[in-house]
Amino acid sequence: MKRLILSTVCMLFCATGLWAQTLVDGIYYDLSASAKTASVVSGGGNYSGDIVIPPTVIYNETTYSVTSIGSFAFSGSSGLTSVEIPNSVTSIGKMAFQSCTGLTSMTVEATNPPFCVNK
């Protein structure tokens, strides 16, 4: 019985898009329709080259403010070489850049509030 309930709940979430990741211009996002915000999420280790995270993204004619980089968002992206982060991003999740062995540059927009980098 518990399995049936869990399966039904999972199907409902997937059908409503609550767990869906949206690809916009080569970056995956979780979009919050109610808050009109977007969080950068994992591309499955497939990010490569130079990534410029925009302050906003447009999907289905709705504009979302990019406010966070989720945990493990770029994890395993060994081909990632640089990331530019806009001032709209106010939080970066745990291990967001784990195993990004090719990452040589990270730029945070000058008007971004101060943030701490843990070593």
Side-chain angles (χ1 to χ4, degrees):
M1 183 65 168
K2 287 182 184 179
R3 258 188 176 166
L4 178 61
I5 292 171
L6 181 59
S7 295
T8 303
V9 169
C10 287
M11 287 188 315
L12 286 173
F13 275 110
C14 291
T16 59
L18 294 176
W19 284 348
Q21 294 179 351
T22 304
L23 180 64
V24 178
D25 296 329
I27 301 175
Y28 288 91
Y29 300 94
D30 275 340
L31 304 176
S32 170
S34 59
K36 302 267 189 298
T37 59
S39 177
V40 177
V41 295
S42 176
N46 294 326
Y47 292 112
S48 64
D50 302 325
I51 298 287
V52 177
I53 300 170
T56 60
V57 293
I58 298 172
Y59 183 73
N60 285 343
E61 300 179 7
T62 300
T63 301
Y64 298 86
S65 178
V66 180
T67 58
S68 65
I69 298 172
S71 296
F72 302 98
F74 294 99
S75 181
S77 296
S78 60
L80 182 64
T81 54
S82 71
V83 176
E84 289 186 34
I85 301 172
N87 67 350
S88 61
V89 171
T90 58
S91 69
I92 298 174
K94 294 179 182 181
M95 300 180 161
F97 298 96
Q98 177 186 16
S99 299
C100 292
T101 55
L103 186 61
T104 59
S105 165
M106 184 179 294
T107 305
V108 178
E109 192 170 314
T111 58
N112 197 321
F115 68 95
C116 176
V117 176
N118 294 324
K119 295 183 179 183

Short mmCIF file of all heavy atoms in Angstrom, two decimals, residues 5-63:
data_model
loop_
_atom_site.label_atom_id
_atom_site.label_comp_id
_atom_site.label_asym_id
_atom_site.label_seq_id
_atom_site.Cartn_x
_atom_site.Cartn_y
_atom_site.Cartn_z
N ILE A 5 1.01 4.40 -2.81
CA ILE A 5 0.84 5.81 -2.46
C ILE A 5 2.07 6.61 -2.92
O ILE A 5 1.94 7.66 -3.53
CB ILE A 5 0.60 5.98 -0.95
CG1 ILE A 5 -0.76 5.39 -0.57
CG2 ILE A 5 0.69 7.45 -0.54
CD1 ILE A 5 -1.01 5.30 0.91
N LEU A 6 3.26 6.09 -2.64
CA LEU A 6 4.48 6.77 -3.04
C LEU A 6 4.56 6.90 -4.55
O LEU A 6 4.90 7.97 -5.08
CB LEU A 6 5.71 6.03 -2.51
CG LEU A 6 7.06 6.66 -2.83
CD1 LEU A 6 7.14 8.07 -2.27
CD2 LEU A 6 8.18 5.81 -2.27
N SER A 7 4.22 5.86 -5.28
CA SER A 7 4.24 5.90 -6.74
C SER A 7 3.26 6.93 -7.27
O SER A 7 3.57 7.68 -8.20
CB SER A 7 3.90 4.53 -7.33
OG SER A 7 4.89 3.60 -7.00
N THR A 8 2.09 7.00 -6.68
CA THR A 8 1.07 7.96 -7.10
C THR A 8 1.54 9.38 -6.86
O THR A 8 1.40 10.25 -7.72
CB THR A 8 -0.26 7.70 -6.36
OG1 THR A 8 -0.66 6.35 -6.60
CG2 THR A 8 -1.34 8.65 -6.82
N VAL A 9 2.13 9.64 -5.69
CA VAL A 9 2.63 10.97 -5.37
C VAL A 9 3.74 11.37 -6.35
O VAL A 9 3.76 12.48 -6.86
CB VAL A 9 3.13 11.04 -3.91
CG1 VAL A 9 3.90 12.33 -3.64
CG2 VAL A 9 1.97 10.91 -2.95
N CYS A 10 4.66 10.45 -6.63
CA CYS A 10 5.75 10.73 -7.58
C CYS A 10 5.20 11.05 -8.96
O CYS A 10 5.66 11.99 -9.61
CB CYS A 10 6.71 9.54 -7.67
SG CYS A 10 7.75 9.37 -6.23
N MET A 11 4.20 10.31 -9.40
CA MET A 11 3.62 10.57 -10.72
C MET A 11 2.95 11.94 -10.76
O MET A 11 3.04 12.66 -11.74
CB MET A 11 2.63 9.47 -11.10
CG MET A 11 3.31 8.18 -11.47
SD MET A 11 2.25 6.89 -12.17
CE MET A 11 0.84 6.89 -11.12
N LEU A 12 2.28 12.32 -9.67
CA LEU A 12 1.62 13.62 -9.62
C LEU A 12 2.64 14.76 -9.68
O LEU A 12 2.45 15.72 -10.41
CB LEU A 12 0.77 13.75 -8.36
CG LEU A 12 -0.53 12.96 -8.35
CD1 LEU A 12 -1.18 13.04 -6.98
CD2 LEU A 12 -1.47 13.47 -9.42
N PHE A 13 3.73 14.64 -8.91
CA PHE A 13 4.76 15.67 -8.94
C PHE A 13 5.38 15.78 -10.32
O PHE A 13 5.58 16.87 -10.83
CB PHE A 13 5.85 15.40 -7.90
CG PHE A 13 5.52 15.91 -6.55
CD1 PHE A 13 5.24 15.03 -5.52
CD2 PHE A 13 5.48 17.27 -6.29
CE1 PHE A 13 4.95 15.50 -4.26
CE2 PHE A 13 5.17 17.75 -5.03
CZ PHE A 13 4.91 16.86 -4.01
N CYS A 14 5.69 14.66 -10.93
CA CYS A 14 6.29 14.68 -12.27
C CYS A 14 5.32 15.25 -13.30
O CYS A 14 5.71 16.01 -14.17
CB CYS A 14 6.75 13.28 -12.68
SG CYS A 14 8.15 12.72 -11.70
N ALA A 15 4.07 14.88 -13.19
CA ALA A 15 3.06 15.35 -14.16
C ALA A 15 2.82 16.85 -14.04
O ALA A 15 2.55 17.52 -15.02
CB ALA A 15 1.76 14.59 -13.95
N THR A 16 2.95 17.39 -12.82
CA THR A 16 2.73 18.82 -12.64
C THR A 16 3.99 19.64 -12.86
O THR A 16 3.96 20.86 -12.81
CB THR A 16 2.18 19.13 -11.23
OG1 THR A 16 3.13 18.66 -10.27
CG2 THR A 16 0.83 18.48 -11.01
N GLY A 17 5.11 18.97 -13.07
CA GLY A 17 6.35 19.66 -13.34
C GLY A 17 7.05 20.21 -12.12
O GLY A 17 7.99 20.98 -12.23
N LEU A 18 6.62 19.79 -10.92
CA LEU A 18 7.24 20.31 -9.72
C LEU A 18 8.67 19.82 -9.55
O LEU A 18 9.45 20.44 -8.85
CB LEU A 18 6.40 19.95 -8.49
CG LEU A 18 5.03 20.61 -8.44
CD1 LEU A 18 4.25 20.11 -7.25
CD2 LEU A 18 5.15 22.12 -8.39
N TRP A 19 9.03 18.70 -10.15
CA TRP A 19 10.39 18.18 -10.05
C TRP A 19 11.13 18.37 -11.36
O TRP A 19 12.25 17.93 -11.51
CB TRP A 19 10.38 16.72 -9.67
CG TRP A 19 10.07 16.48 -8.24
CD1 TRP A 19 10.03 17.40 -7.24
CD2 TRP A 19 9.77 15.23 -7.63
NE1 TRP A 19 9.71 16.81 -6.05
CE2 TRP A 19 9.54 15.47 -6.26
CE3 TRP A 19 9.65 13.93 -8.09
CZ2 TRP A 19 9.23 14.47 -5.36
CZ3 TRP A 19 9.35 12.95 -7.18
CH2 TRP A 19 9.13 13.20 -5.84
N ALA A 20 10.51 19.02 -12.32
CA ALA A 20 11.10 19.15 -13.64
C ALA A 20 12.24 20.17 -13.62
O ALA A 20 12.19 21.16 -12.90
CB ALA A 20 10.05 19.59 -14.64
N GLN A 21 13.26 19.88 -14.39
CA GLN A 21 14.33 20.83 -14.59
C GLN A 21 14.17 21.41 -15.99
O GLN A 21 13.83 20.70 -16.92
CB GLN A 21 15.68 20.14 -14.45
CG GLN A 21 15.92 19.65 -13.03
CD GLN A 21 17.26 18.95 -12.90
OE1 GLN A 21 17.94 18.68 -13.87
NE2 GLN A 21 17.62 18.65 -11.68
N THR A 22 14.42 22.68 -16.10
CA THR A 22 14.21 23.38 -17.35
C THR A 22 15.55 23.83 -17.91
O THR A 22 16.35 24.44 -17.21
CB THR A 22 13.31 24.60 -17.11
OG1 THR A 22 12.10 24.16 -16.49
CG2 THR A 22 12.99 25.31 -18.40
N LEU A 23 15.78 23.52 -19.18
CA LEU A 23 17.01 23.91 -19.85
C LEU A 23 16.77 25.20 -20.62
O LEU A 23 15.89 25.28 -21.47
CB LEU A 23 17.46 22.80 -20.81
CG LEU A 23 18.73 23.05 -21.61
CD1 LEU A 23 19.94 23.16 -20.69
CD2 LEU A 23 18.94 21.93 -22.62
N VAL A 24 17.55 26.24 -20.29
CA VAL A 24 17.47 27.52 -20.98
C VAL A 24 18.89 27.95 -21.34
O VAL A 24 19.74 28.11 -20.46
CB VAL A 24 16.80 28.62 -20.12
CG1 VAL A 24 16.76 29.95 -20.85
CG2 VAL A 24 15.41 28.20 -19.68
N ASP A 25 19.16 28.09 -22.62
CA ASP A 25 20.47 28.53 -23.10
C ASP A 25 21.63 27.73 -22.50
O ASP A 25 22.65 28.30 -22.09
CB ASP A 25 20.67 30.03 -22.84
CG ASP A 25 19.69 30.89 -23.62
OD1 ASP A 25 19.29 30.49 -24.73
OD2 ASP A 25 19.31 31.97 -23.11
N GLY A 26 21.47 26.43 -22.41
CA GLY A 26 22.55 25.55 -21.97
C GLY A 26 22.72 25.40 -20.48
O GLY A 26 23.64 24.73 -20.02
N ILE A 27 21.84 26.00 -19.68
CA ILE A 27 21.91 25.90 -18.23
C ILE A 27 20.59 25.33 -17.72
O ILE A 27 19.52 25.75 -18.14
CB ILE A 27 22.19 27.27 -17.57
CG1 ILE A 27 23.52 27.85 -18.08
CG2 ILE A 27 22.22 27.15 -16.05
CD1 ILE A 27 23.82 29.26 -17.58
N TYR A 28 20.69 24.36 -16.78
CA TYR A 28 19.49 23.77 -16.20
C TYR A 28 19.06 24.57 -14.97
O TYR A 28 19.89 24.98 -14.17
CB TYR A 28 19.76 22.32 -15.77
CG TYR A 28 19.89 21.38 -16.94
CD1 TYR A 28 21.14 21.13 -17.51
CD2 TYR A 28 18.78 20.74 -17.47
CE1 TYR A 28 21.27 20.26 -18.58
CE2 TYR A 28 18.90 19.88 -18.54
CZ TYR A 28 20.14 19.64 -19.09
OH TYR A 28 20.27 18.79 -20.16
N TYR A 29 17.74 24.76 -14.85
CA TYR A 29 17.16 25.51 -13.73
C TYR A 29 15.98 24.76 -13.12
O TYR A 29 15.27 24.06 -13.82
CB TYR A 29 16.63 26.88 -14.20
CG TYR A 29 17.65 27.78 -14.82
CD1 TYR A 29 17.85 27.81 -16.20
CD2 TYR A 29 18.40 28.64 -14.03
CE1 TYR A 29 18.78 28.66 -16.78
CE2 TYR A 29 19.34 29.50 -14.60
CZ TYR A 29 19.52 29.49 -15.97
OH TYR A 29 20.45 30.33 -16.54
N ASP A 30 15.79 24.99 -11.82
CA ASP A 30 14.52 24.69 -11.17
C ASP A 30 13.81 26.03 -11.10
O ASP A 30 14.38 27.01 -10.58
CB ASP A 30 14.71 24.13 -9.76
CG ASP A 30 14.93 22.63 -9.74
OD1 ASP A 30 14.59 21.96 -10.73
OD2 ASP A 30 15.46 22.13 -8.73
N LEU A 31 12.61 26.10 -11.62
CA LEU A 31 11.86 27.35 -11.66
C LEU A 31 10.75 27.34 -10.62
O LEU A 31 10.04 26.35 -10.47
CB LEU A 31 11.24 27.55 -13.04
CG LEU A 31 12.20 27.53 -14.23
CD1 LEU A 31 11.43 27.65 -15.53
CD2 LEU A 31 13.24 28.64 -14.11
N SER A 32 10.60 28.45 -9.91
CA SER A 32 9.50 28.62 -8.97
C SER A 32 8.51 29.59 -9.58
O SER A 32 8.78 30.81 -9.66
CB SER A 32 10.00 29.17 -7.63
OG SER A 32 8.90 29.54 -6.83
N ALA A 33 7.38 29.07 -10.03
CA ALA A 33 6.37 29.90 -10.68
C ALA A 33 5.80 30.93 -9.70
O ALA A 33 5.56 32.08 -10.08
CB ALA A 33 5.26 29.04 -11.25
N SER A 34 5.61 30.53 -8.45
CA SER A 34 5.00 31.45 -7.48
C SER A 34 5.93 32.60 -7.11
O SER A 34 5.50 33.74 -7.00
CB SER A 34 4.57 30.69 -6.23
OG SER A 34 5.68 30.07 -5.62
N ALA A 35 7.22 32.32 -6.94
CA ALA A 35 8.17 33.35 -6.55
C ALA A 35 8.85 34.01 -7.76
O ALA A 35 9.55 35.00 -7.60
CB ALA A 35 9.24 32.76 -5.64
N LYS A 36 8.67 33.42 -8.94
CA LYS A 36 9.32 33.92 -10.16
C LYS A 36 10.85 33.93 -10.00
O LYS A 36 11.53 34.89 -10.37
CB LYS A 36 8.82 35.30 -10.55
CG LYS A 36 7.32 35.37 -10.78
CD LYS A 36 6.98 35.15 -12.22
CE LYS A 36 5.53 35.44 -12.56
NZ LYS A 36 4.54 34.64 -11.91
N THR A 37 11.37 32.86 -9.37
CA THR A 37 12.81 32.73 -9.19
C THR A 37 13.30 31.44 -9.85
O THR A 37 12.54 30.51 -10.08
CB THR A 37 13.20 32.71 -7.71
OG1 THR A 37 12.55 31.61 -7.06
CG2 THR A 37 12.85 34.02 -7.02
N ALA A 38 14.61 31.42 -10.12
CA ALA A 38 15.24 30.25 -10.73
C ALA A 38 16.49 29.91 -9.96
O ALA A 38 17.21 30.79 -9.49
CB ALA A 38 15.58 30.55 -12.19
N SER A 39 16.76 28.61 -9.86
CA SER A 39 17.98 28.12 -9.22
C SER A 39 18.72 27.26 -10.23
O SER A 39 18.12 26.37 -10.85
CB SER A 39 17.62 27.29 -7.99
OG SER A 39 18.79 26.76 -7.40
N VAL A 40 20.01 27.51 -10.41
CA VAL A 40 20.83 26.69 -11.30
C VAL A 40 20.97 25.32 -10.65
O VAL A 40 21.26 25.21 -9.46
CB VAL A 40 22.22 27.31 -11.52
CG1 VAL A 40 23.08 26.41 -12.39
CG2 VAL A 40 22.09 28.69 -12.13
N VAL A 41 20.73 24.26 -11.44
CA VAL A 41 20.82 22.89 -10.92
C VAL A 41 21.73 22.05 -11.81
O VAL A 41 22.20 22.50 -12.85
CB VAL A 41 19.42 22.24 -10.81
CG1 VAL A 41 18.57 22.96 -9.76
CG2 VAL A 41 18.71 22.22 -12.14
N SER A 42 21.94 20.84 -11.38
CA SER A 42 22.87 19.94 -12.05
C SER A 42 22.52 19.65 -13.50
O SER A 42 21.37 19.41 -13.84
CB SER A 42 22.94 18.62 -11.29
OG SER A 42 23.78 17.71 -11.98
N GLY A 43 23.54 19.67 -14.31
CA GLY A 43 23.40 19.26 -15.70
C GLY A 43 23.97 17.86 -15.86
O GLY A 43 24.31 17.45 -16.96
N GLY A 44 24.10 17.13 -14.75
CA GLY A 44 24.62 15.77 -14.79
C GLY A 44 26.10 15.71 -15.14
O GLY A 44 26.58 14.75 -15.73
N GLY A 45 26.85 16.73 -14.75
CA GLY A 45 28.28 16.75 -15.04
C GLY A 45 28.57 17.13 -16.48
O GLY A 45 29.67 16.93 -16.97
N ASN A 46 27.58 17.68 -17.15
CA ASN A 46 27.73 17.98 -18.57
C ASN A 46 28.08 19.43 -18.89
O ASN A 46 28.18 19.79 -20.05
CB ASN A 46 26.44 17.61 -19.32
CG ASN A 46 26.20 16.12 -19.30
OD1 ASN A 46 27.13 15.33 -19.33
ND2 ASN A 46 24.94 15.73 -19.23
N TYR A 47 28.23 20.27 -17.89
CA TYR A 47 28.60 21.65 -18.17
C TYR A 47 30.05 21.70 -18.61
O TYR A 47 30.91 21.01 -18.06
CB TYR A 47 28.41 22.53 -16.93
CG TYR A 47 26.97 22.73 -16.52
CD1 TYR A 47 26.47 22.18 -15.35
CD2 TYR A 47 26.12 23.50 -17.31
CE1 TYR A 47 25.16 22.39 -14.97
CE2 TYR A 47 24.80 23.71 -16.93
CZ TYR A 47 24.32 23.15 -15.76
OH TYR A 47 23.02 23.36 -15.38
N SER A 48 30.35 22.53 -19.61
CA SER A 48 31.72 22.66 -20.05
C SER A 48 31.95 24.06 -20.62
O SER A 48 31.01 24.79 -20.91
CB SER A 48 32.06 21.61 -21.11
OG SER A 48 31.28 21.81 -22.26
N GLY A 49 33.23 24.41 -20.73
CA GLY A 49 33.58 25.71 -21.28
C GLY A 49 33.33 26.83 -20.30
O GLY A 49 33.38 26.66 -19.08
N ASP A 50 33.05 28.01 -20.85
CA ASP A 50 32.80 29.20 -20.05
C ASP A 50 31.29 29.37 -19.86
O ASP A 50 30.56 29.46 -20.84
CB ASP A 50 33.37 30.43 -20.74
CG ASP A 50 34.86 30.30 -21.01
OD1 ASP A 50 35.56 29.70 -20.18
OD2 ASP A 50 35.33 30.81 -22.05
N ILE A 51 30.84 29.43 -18.62
CA ILE A 51 29.42 29.58 -18.31
C ILE A 51 29.18 30.99 -17.76
O ILE A 51 29.86 31.43 -16.84
CB ILE A 51 28.95 28.55 -17.25
CG1 ILE A 51 29.10 27.13 -17.77
CG2 ILE A 51 27.52 28.83 -16.80
CD1 ILE A 51 28.11 26.71 -18.81
N VAL A 52 28.22 31.68 -18.34
CA VAL A 52 27.78 32.98 -17.84
C VAL A 52 26.35 32.80 -17.36
O VAL A 52 25.44 32.56 -18.15
CB VAL A 52 27.85 34.07 -18.94
CG1 VAL A 52 27.32 35.39 -18.39
CG2 VAL A 52 29.27 34.22 -19.46
N ILE A 53 26.18 32.89 -16.05
CA ILE A 53 24.84 32.76 -15.48
C ILE A 53 24.17 34.13 -15.62
O ILE A 53 24.68 35.12 -15.11
CB ILE A 53 24.90 32.33 -14.01
CG1 ILE A 53 25.60 30.97 -13.89
CG2 ILE A 53 23.50 32.30 -13.39
CD1 ILE A 53 25.90 30.56 -12.46
N PRO A 54 23.02 34.19 -16.27
CA PRO A 54 22.34 35.48 -16.43
C PRO A 54 21.58 35.86 -15.16
O PRO A 54 21.23 35.00 -14.36
CB PRO A 54 21.37 35.21 -17.58
CG PRO A 54 21.03 33.76 -17.42
CD PRO A 54 22.31 33.11 -16.94
N PRO A 55 21.31 37.15 -14.97
CA PRO A 55 20.53 37.56 -13.79
C PRO A 55 19.07 37.15 -13.89
O PRO A 55 18.39 36.98 -12.88
CB PRO A 55 20.69 39.08 -13.75
CG PRO A 55 21.10 39.47 -15.13
CD PRO A 55 21.80 38.29 -15.74
N THR A 56 18.57 36.98 -15.12
CA THR A 56 17.19 36.55 -15.33
C THR A 56 17.15 35.56 -16.49
O THR A 56 18.03 35.57 -17.36
CB THR A 56 16.25 37.72 -15.67
OG1 THR A 56 16.70 38.36 -16.86
CG2 THR A 56 16.17 38.72 -14.53
N VAL A 57 16.12 34.71 -16.48
CA VAL A 57 15.86 33.82 -17.61
C VAL A 57 14.39 33.94 -17.97
O VAL A 57 13.55 34.22 -17.11
CB VAL A 57 16.21 32.34 -17.32
CG1 VAL A 57 17.70 32.16 -17.17
CG2 VAL A 57 15.47 31.80 -16.12
N ILE A 58 14.10 33.72 -19.24
CA ILE A 58 12.72 33.77 -19.70
C ILE A 58 12.35 32.37 -20.17
O ILE A 58 13.06 31.76 -20.97
CB ILE A 58 12.54 34.78 -20.85
CG1 ILE A 58 12.88 36.19 -20.36
CG2 ILE A 58 11.10 34.74 -21.39
CD1 ILE A 58 12.93 37.23 -21.46
N TYR A 59 11.22 31.87 -19.64
CA TYR A 59 10.72 30.56 -20.02
C TYR A 59 9.20 30.66 -20.14
O TYR A 59 8.55 31.15 -19.22
CB TYR A 59 11.12 29.50 -18.99
CG TYR A 59 10.68 28.12 -19.36
CD1 TYR A 59 11.32 27.43 -20.39
CD2 TYR A 59 9.62 27.51 -18.71
CE1 TYR A 59 10.92 26.15 -20.74
CE2 TYR A 59 9.21 26.25 -19.07
CZ TYR A 59 9.86 25.57 -20.08
OH TYR A 59 9.45 24.30 -20.44
N ASN A 60 8.66 30.23 -21.27
CA ASN A 60 7.22 30.32 -21.53
C ASN A 60 6.68 31.72 -21.26
O ASN A 60 5.67 31.91 -20.58
CB ASN A 60 6.44 29.28 -20.71
CG ASN A 60 6.59 27.89 -21.28
OD1 ASN A 60 6.99 27.69 -22.42
ND2 ASN A 60 6.28 26.90 -20.46
N GLU A 61 7.40 32.70 -21.76
CA GLU A 61 7.02 34.11 -21.66
C GLU A 61 6.98 34.67 -20.24
O GLU A 61 6.41 35.73 -19.99
CB GLU A 61 5.68 34.35 -22.37
CG GLU A 61 5.73 34.00 -23.85
CD GLU A 61 4.41 34.22 -24.55
OE1 GLU A 61 3.47 34.78 -23.95
OE2 GLU A 61 4.32 33.84 -25.73
N THR A 62 7.59 33.96 -19.29
CA THR A 62 7.68 34.43 -17.91
C THR A 62 9.14 34.68 -17.58
O THR A 62 9.99 33.86 -17.91
CB THR A 62 7.08 33.40 -16.93
OG1 THR A 62 5.71 33.18 -17.27
CG2 THR A 62 7.16 33.88 -15.49
N THR A 63 9.43 35.80 -16.93
CA THR A 63 10.79 36.14 -16.54
C THR A 63 11.02 35.71 -15.09
O THR A 63 10.21 36.01 -14.21
CB THR A 63 11.05 37.65 -16.67
OG1 THR A 63 10.82 38.03 -18.04
CG2 THR A 63 12.47 38.01 -16.28
#
